[in-house]
């Protein structure tokens, strides 16, 4: 198991050192500093073995977190734990920086004592931890409170405490998708997959039971032809999900047997699920780059983007980022639409368009002056990237329903569910995105990454059963073309 | 926390603050105690009172805190006081306290294992597995697993269907970490039949959708392991295979560090069961922003998945990668193209043309790497792509790395008859002969000799020049030897020389870098752990007893496997013959025991053990002969034939014997070594300071009929080391390397490589002082280094060192008394049976055992590789930890070293 945990700053000075096992000596701290932080070459592996001691490290801004062990530990678990540790620290004091760590070091030691016992990770849900690890000094709790804390920390629903109360019960749902696209130089799509995340923000009272449904092909097919009339409406009714993973609050055995997603949500923001699809991906934009080298000191770039969706829909906040070589001395840009600027600090031309309807195209051309260099190091030719918002999801994912049921407080009811699913269809054209990108001078290879955010907010008000209002807003489609 | 200052002086003052009501402050005081108690053990006692009091506190948080902290204070005196509070906390009403106490048992066990056993904590811990709270169960499982690991023999975690059922229930309810503990523990369970395996698999499968990658990987481990037991005809088997792919692919969208862990594991899974991911090639395509370690791993997996169906895509990708910026990555990509050519025959032509395109880029390292792989392609498809040689020759001047130069020279020599100016080309290399690395020198020598044999008329001068350079001006023994051999061959019989030098070469195999099957099976049992990241068994990087237990995949049950593993058949036949022989020998021994040397003490147990001995012996021999007759298989592969105990094997032999043999078969299958010969820990033989940065540590080991020298070479210098070679000086027992020292890749700075060098005893003999002294010379591209080491004599004890009983008596009397030497083996607490089984592992055979006036007398024999017999009498008094060892031998000078071997074996 984990033998010790160290946190270093960028210079390699130890900020936090907590040793759990006897086999980890004092010299382990230095061994890592010398061999990894101060190593001359780039780090070639996140796992390093120095003198029979294994070090796992992750880096957050310029802070190094390293876990040490001498045993054959579960490596995946150690990394998962390190990420979790970062999440917990972020939840407590914001950004992980040297200053924040120094200011909170008592707190960090306290956390380390609680979430790692003899190298075994224990409950590390922030919600639960915050009930008894506070920075205010614990007021003497009553006996009930104490046992409530312990039963929560060890209980089956360790991620949520009892007795949460909100005046307004609200639940927000975001669908964020990123498209990864690989194109051949001829413009043929080699592979494309969407990895999506469903992020929830829940502000609900009590212990609500939630049920989440989407247009998953398997479920739809199971339900049979009863809903056959619906299929005609929007063409693509269901999507084939290749794989999905869930937050620990979701009952996996239930998903396995019935494919229904039911859970008691933690309070606040969390990632409910991740999914991956590869079939029938809608690509909203097409990027066609042309790069021409004119002599050794000049580069001509032309980029065309074409929107590839229904003309009635609008894409917004489009931002195209065209990387330029490091030895760029000046850039002249001409674009037909939107604004474009060369940002020397970022080594890129940034082109912004506020709105663009479907089935349109726009282009930018730029002349890049280069300083002659004899630097032999090649330019890595980073990909062109693109961000935008569109009102549909590339994967075609749609939220079918989100049911909330709280047995004691009773702020939810069947009406909500029906209502919500119908509103959804009309209002939420769903967001989606697509991208392509070209790279470097030859323009030979395109691979794209695009992310889309669908944002649906469900507001459930606790004013009796009939006046429940649902709001859906969609938002943010971000797409990075890599 | 203290900015590096030692604040232990404040100990008494801090302890005074312990009894505060402020929980925050209390925690800080406890933290202080954990850090400093060890340096002030006497003062730490002062804290005990408060701990005991806190363990009774009404607040469960404080009770847990106290018991948690006490376990972390590693002071012997404190542990005694810990027992009572711990016992209470294990039965506490609050689950938070119980789960903390469960871990505390593991802590205490680490400090004082005996205490934990005496106090009966282990039983309490076992009870906690049935606790109502899932988190308590998870922690108890974790603690028990850890304790069980340090006692491989004890049956602590005796998993049975009932307890497995409890664990599976808790699995659905506990935290993500708890699920990992439980899944890792489940992986150690051996289901009794395929039906049970399937039902466990069914209940573990939902975990594949967990957001925590470690849970997913641990679940994959359980499934991969239990899948072994399922019949391939089963529908469920196919379903399971299908279910495994998506989660593995999803792991690739995790954070980069986890991707790395996942990829290393996928590499293993792909080798074990290629069918799982064969359609998923695309997900392993490298992304622009992947960290370099992810890129390199993805590349590896791409090659493993390459097949005729997807080769076009793979090649297009690889070609793209070859134009990237990172040098290592580019090199690996170029090499990968070559490996594709060798793996997928239909694609060879395209690969070669891709490589030629890359050579046209004239990027130095790309060209060199391409030439190295083209050499391999030539060896796989001889006489097919020679048209490219011209292109290669154009780049001759740009080659500056030894490997590329050697490859090029090999090509020129091999195809000398088709290259018009081969002599000029080789001559140009010859100019700087002495500056070249050994690899190039050797290659150049061979190439020129080849050239001479092909075009004798015009190259006579050249060949003489190179021969004289190699033999007269070089101080490298390998080079000199090779030079002399060629010279003599050429001068005595040119026709024979032609046959030798220009002999038909065997084709190289498709996959050269596959992990050896037994190791692969073991690593599959370690999915998700460090072992699977390093691709090494835990014993290679874990100290002490932990992790030394070898894990092996469960044998497949069901009916179909006898057809699919033809190797099972011969092993079954082998086993079936044995029953007839073994009882005979057992009887014989039994009879012999009654003959003289007093009455047998305990008939049945002794007889049983001797039967087993006989079985070991026979099996050893049998295994050897099987291995030798095995045409191409490596020893380990031959051994793996035994993993599946064919259903026919136990049938037809007596029940007890059958089970005995079954055990033995497990032994062979799992580890590949039959006799558990004692291996001393590695020691540093050649410190880095003395050898320009090369550190060598090593040890000797003996496995069935073979001695090997296990070396670890560590490069502590700043430059890359390559071209390793090893030689021994003449020594007392004629030890000599049986194979050249194989270091496949150059050793980069701060890297180490482990090598097992097989030895034989047919070298030339010279008596050394001390007798077991071995002088070794190791060479690399930097220099030649010398060191000497003492090898333990027991590596020379041969398997047939068991003397017949009468023989023993006769010989004992025959050897004059002045040849007898007596030694004391001190501080050894083993009993007679343990001693004899331990010694037997190292080929010291107990011939008889006698009990005289409460003392156990063991009569033993052993034989050295050069045929010297050593007879021993070992006297063990139950009350006295010192044994008396009397050795008789015709060559009394070995006695002292035999004693040293005894001493080492018994104390380890």
């Amino acid at each position: 198991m984990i033998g010790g945990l160290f946190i270093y700053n960028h210079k390699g000075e130890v900020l936090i050192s907590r040793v759990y096992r006897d086999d980890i000596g004092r010299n382990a701290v230095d061994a890592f500093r010398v061999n990894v932080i101060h190593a001359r070459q780039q780090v070639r592996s996140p796992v390093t073995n120095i003198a029979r001691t294994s070090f796992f490290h992750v880096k957050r801004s310029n802070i190094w977190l390293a876990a040490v062990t001498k045993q054959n530990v579960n490596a995946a678990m150690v990394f998962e734990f390190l990420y979790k540790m970062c999440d917990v620290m972020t939840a407590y004091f914001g950004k992980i920086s040297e200053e924040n760590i120094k200011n909170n070091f008592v707190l960090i030691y306290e956390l380390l004592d609680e979430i790692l016992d003899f190298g075994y990770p224990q409950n590390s849900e922030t919600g639960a931890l915050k009930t008894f690890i506070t920075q205010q000094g614990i007021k003497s709790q009553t006996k009930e409170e104490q046992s409530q804390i312990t039963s929560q920390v060890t209980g089956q629903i360790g991620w949520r405490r009892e007795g949460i109360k909100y005046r307004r019960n609200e639940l927000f749902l975001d669908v964020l998708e990123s498209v990864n696209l690989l194109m051949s130089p001829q413009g043929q799509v080699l592979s494309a997959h969407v990895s999506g995340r469903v992020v929830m923000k829940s502000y609900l009272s009590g212990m609500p039971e939630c049920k989440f449904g989407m247009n998953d092909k398997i479920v739809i097919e199971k339900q049979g032809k009863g809903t056959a009339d619906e299929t005609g409406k929007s063409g693509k009714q269901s999507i084939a999900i290749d794989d999905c993973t869930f937050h620990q609050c979701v009952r996996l055995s239930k998903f396995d047997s019935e494919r229904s997603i039911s859970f008691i949500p933690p309070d606040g923001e969390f990632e409910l699920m991740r999914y991956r699809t590869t079939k029938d991906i809608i690509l909203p934009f097409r990027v066609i780059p042309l790069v021409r080298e004119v002599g050794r000191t000049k580069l001509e770039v032309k980029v065309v983007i074409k929107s590839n969706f229904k003309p009635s829909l609008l894409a917004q906040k489009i931002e195209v980022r065209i990387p330029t070589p490091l030895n760029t001395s000046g850039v002249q840009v001409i674009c037909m639409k939107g604004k474009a600027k060369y940002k020397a600090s970022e080594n890129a031309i940034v082109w912004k368009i506020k709105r663009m309807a479907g089935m349109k195209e726009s282009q930018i051309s730029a002349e890049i002056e280069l300083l002659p260099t004899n630097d032999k190091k090649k330019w890595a030719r980073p990909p062109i990237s693109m961000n935008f918002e569109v009102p549909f999801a590339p994967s075609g994912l749609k939220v079918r329903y989100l049911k909330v049921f709280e047995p004691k407080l009773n702020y939810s009811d069947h009406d909500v569910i029906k209502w919500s699913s119908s509103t959804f269809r009309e209002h939420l054209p769903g967001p989606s995105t697509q991208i392509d990108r070209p790279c470097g001078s030859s323009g030979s290879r395109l691979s794209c990454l695009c992310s889309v955010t669908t944002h649906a907010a469900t507001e459930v008000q606790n004013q009796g059963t009939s006046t429940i209002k649902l709001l859906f807003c969609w938002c943010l489609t971000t797409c990075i073309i890599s | 926390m203290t900015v590096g200052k030692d604040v232990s002086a404040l100990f008494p003052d801090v302890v005074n603050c312990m009894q505060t009501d402020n929980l925050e402050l209390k925690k800080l005081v406890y933290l202080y105690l954990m850090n400093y108690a060890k340096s002030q053990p006497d003062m730490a006692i002062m804290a005990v009172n408060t701990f005991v009091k806190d363990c009774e506190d009404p607040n469960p948080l404080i009770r847990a805190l106290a018991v948690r902290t006490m376990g972390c204070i590693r002071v012997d005196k404190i542990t005694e006081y810990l027992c009572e509070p711990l016992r209470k906390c294990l039965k506490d009403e609050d689950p938070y306290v119980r789960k903390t106490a469960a871990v505390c048992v593991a802590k205490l066990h680490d400090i004082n294992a005996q205490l934990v056993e005496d106090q009966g904590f282990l039983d309490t811990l076992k009870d906690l597995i049935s606790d109502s709270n899932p988190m308590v169960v998870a922690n108890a499982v974790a603690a028990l697993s850890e304790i069980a690991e340090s006692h491989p023999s004890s049956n602590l975690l005796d998993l049975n269907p009932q307890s497995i059922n409890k664990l599976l229930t808790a699995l659905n309810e506990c935290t993500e970490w708890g699920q990992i503990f439980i899944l890792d523990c489940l992986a150690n369970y051996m289901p009794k039949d395929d039906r049970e395996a399937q039902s466990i698999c069914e209940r573990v499968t939902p975990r594949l959708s967990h957001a925590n990658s470690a849970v997913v990987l641990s679940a994959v481990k359980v499934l991969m392991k239990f899948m072994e037991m399922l019949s391939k005809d089963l529908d469920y088997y196919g379903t399971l295979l299908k279910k495994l792919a998506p989660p593995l692919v999803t792991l690739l969208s995790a954070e980069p560090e986890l991707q790395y862990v996942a990829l290393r594991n996928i590499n293993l899974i792909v080798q074990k069961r290629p069918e799982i991911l064969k359609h998923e090639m695309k997900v392993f395509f490298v992304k622009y922003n992947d960290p370099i370690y992810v890129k390199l791993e993805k590349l590896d997996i791409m090659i493993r998945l390459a097949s005729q169906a997807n080769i076009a895509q793979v090649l297009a990708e690889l070609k793209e990668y070859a134009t990237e910026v990172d040098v290592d990555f580019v090199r690996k990509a170029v090499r990968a193209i070559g490996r594709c050519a060798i793996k997928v025959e239909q694609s060879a032509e395209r690969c070669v043309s891709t490589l030629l395109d890359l050579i046209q880029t004239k990027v130095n390292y790309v060209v060199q790497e391409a030439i190295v792989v083209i050499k391999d392609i030539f060896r796989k498809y001889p006489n097919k792509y020679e048209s490219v040689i011209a292109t290669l020759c154009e780049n001759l001047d740009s080659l500056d790395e030894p490997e590329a130069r050697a490859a090029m020279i090999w090509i020129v020599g091999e195809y000398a008859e088709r290259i018009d100016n081969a002599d000029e080309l080789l001559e140009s290399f010859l100019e700087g002969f002495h500056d070249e690395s050994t690899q190039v020198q050797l290659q150049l020598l061979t190439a020129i000799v080849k050239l001479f044999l092909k075009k004798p008329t015009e190259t006579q001068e050249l060949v003489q020049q190179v021969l004289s350079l190699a033999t007269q001006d070089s101080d490298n023994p390998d080079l000199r030897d090779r030079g002399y051999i060629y010279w003599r061959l050429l001068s005595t019989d040119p026709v024979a020389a032609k046959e030798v030098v220009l002999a038909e070469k065997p084709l190289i195999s498709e996959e050269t870098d596959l992990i050896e099957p037994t190791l692969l099976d073991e690593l599959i049992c370690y999915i998700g752990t460090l072992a699977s990241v390093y691709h090494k068994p835990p014993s290679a990087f874990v100290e002490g007893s932990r992790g030394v237990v070898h894990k092996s995949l469960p044998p497949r049950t069901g009916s179909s496997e006898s057809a699919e593993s033809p190797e099972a058949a011969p092993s079954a036949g082998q086993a079936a013959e044995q029953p007839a022989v073994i009882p005979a020998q057992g009887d014989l021994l039994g009879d012999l025991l009654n003959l003289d040397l007093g009455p047998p003490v305990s008939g049945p147990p002794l007889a049983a053990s001797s039967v087993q001995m006989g079985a070991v012996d026979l099996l050893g021999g049998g295994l050897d002969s099987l291995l030798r007759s095995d045409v191409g298989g490596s020893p380990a592969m031959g051994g793996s034939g035994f993993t599946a105990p064919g259903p026919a094997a136990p049938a037809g032999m007596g029940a007890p014997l059958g089970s005995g043999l079954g055990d033995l078969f497990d032994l062979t299958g799992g580890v590949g070594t039959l006799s558990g010969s004692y291996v001393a820990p590695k020691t540093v033989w050649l410190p880095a300071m003395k050898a320009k940065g090369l550190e060598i540590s090593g040890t000797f080991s003996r496995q069935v009929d073979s001695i090997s020298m296990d070396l670890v070479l560590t490069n502590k210098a700043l430059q890359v080391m390559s071209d390793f070679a090893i030689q021994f000086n003449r020594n007392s027992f004629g030890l000599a390397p049986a194979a050249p020292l194989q270091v496949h890749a150059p050793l980069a700075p701060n890297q180490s490589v482990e090598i097992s060098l097989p030895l034989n005893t047919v070298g030339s003999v010279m008596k050394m002082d001390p007798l077991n002294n071995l002088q070794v010379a190791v060479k690399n591209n930097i220099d030649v280094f010398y060191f000497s080491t003492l090898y333990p004599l027991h590596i020379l004890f041969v398997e047939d060192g068991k003397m017949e009983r009468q023989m023993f008596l006769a010989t004992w009397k025959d050897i004059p008394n002045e040849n007898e030497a007596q030694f004391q083996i001190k501080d050894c607490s083993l009993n007679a049976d343990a001693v004899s089984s331990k010694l037997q592992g190292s080929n010291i055979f107990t011939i008889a055992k006698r009990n005289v006036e409460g003392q156990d007398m063991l009569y033993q024999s052993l034989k050295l590789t050069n045929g010297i017999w050593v007879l021993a009498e070992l006297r063990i008094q139950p009350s006295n930890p010192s044994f008396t060892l009397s050795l008789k031998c015709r060559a009394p000078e070995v006695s002292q070293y035999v004693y040293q071997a005894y001493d080492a074996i018994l104390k380890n």
Side-chain angles (χ1 to χ4, degrees), chain A residues 21 54 75 80 114 120 243 246, chain B residues 96 146 209 213 250 528 534:
Chain A
R21 301 251 170 170
S54 300
E80 282 285 359
E114 187 58 45
Y120 291 106
D243 185 38
F246 296 101
Chain B
Y96 184 76
E146 180 169 343
S209 310
S213 312
T250 302
Y534 293 147

Side-chain angles (χ1 to χ4, degrees), chain A residues 176-228:
Chain A
L176 298 130
E177 294 198 336
S178 81
V179 179
N180 198 318
L181 183 69
L182 197 65
M183 290 181 105
S184 72
Q186 290 77 35
Q188 192 188 358
V189 176
L190 288 179
S191 82
H193 76 259
V194 172
S195 45
R197 305 189 295 140
V198 178
V199 178
M200 253 187 192
K201 277 182 207 158
S202 82
Y203 305 104
L204 299 170
S205 314
M207 281 295 198
E209 274 279 347
C210 298
K211 218 171 163 189
F212 173 71
M214 52 190 178
N215 54 343
D216 177 2
K217 201 170 186 175
I218 298 176
V219 180
I220 305 272
E221 273 168 10
K222 236 192 217 166
Q223 286 170 348
K225 292 158 194 157
T227 51

Side-chain angles (χ1 to χ4, degrees), chain A residues 21-22 54 72-75 80 83 105 110 114 117 120 122 124 150 180 190 243 245-246 378 382, chain B residues 1 27 74 94 96 99 107 139 146 177 209 211 213 250 255 257 282 287-288 323 528-531 534:
Chain A
R21 301 251 170 170
D22 228 23
S54 300
N72 182 27
V73 294
N74 189 323
E80 282 285 359
Y83 300 139
F105 86 125
E110 207 177 319
E114 187 58 45
D117 190 5
Y120 291 106
Q122 305 291 307
S124 48
T150 58
N180 198 318
L190 288 179
D243 185 38
T245 59
F246 296 101
K378 269 200 286 178
Chain B
M1 174 157 67
K27 283 182 183 172
R74 306 179 60 97
D94 195 294
Y96 184 76
K99 71 120 186 161
K107 293 178 189 170
N139 276 1
E146 180 169 343
W177 314 116
S209 310
S213 312
T250 302
E255 287 83 349
E257 290 88 358
K282 283 177 182 173
K287 285 186 206 157
Y288 165 76
T323 60
T529 67
L530 262 181
Y534 293 147

Side-chain angles (χ1 to χ4, degrees), chain B residues 695-710:
Chain B
E695 186 185 282
I696 300 182
S697 58
T699 183
F700 292 91
S701 65
R702 182 181 182 97
Q703 299 187 343
V704 187
D705 217 18
S706 71
I707 307 170
S708 54
M709 181 161 160
D710 301 319

Side-chain angles (χ1 to χ4, degrees), chain B residues 159-171:
Chain B
L159 297 169
N160 50 48
Q162 287 79 32
S163 60
I164 289 292
N165 203 17
K166 276 179 209 152
L167 292 184
L168 285 168
T169 314
L171 188 61

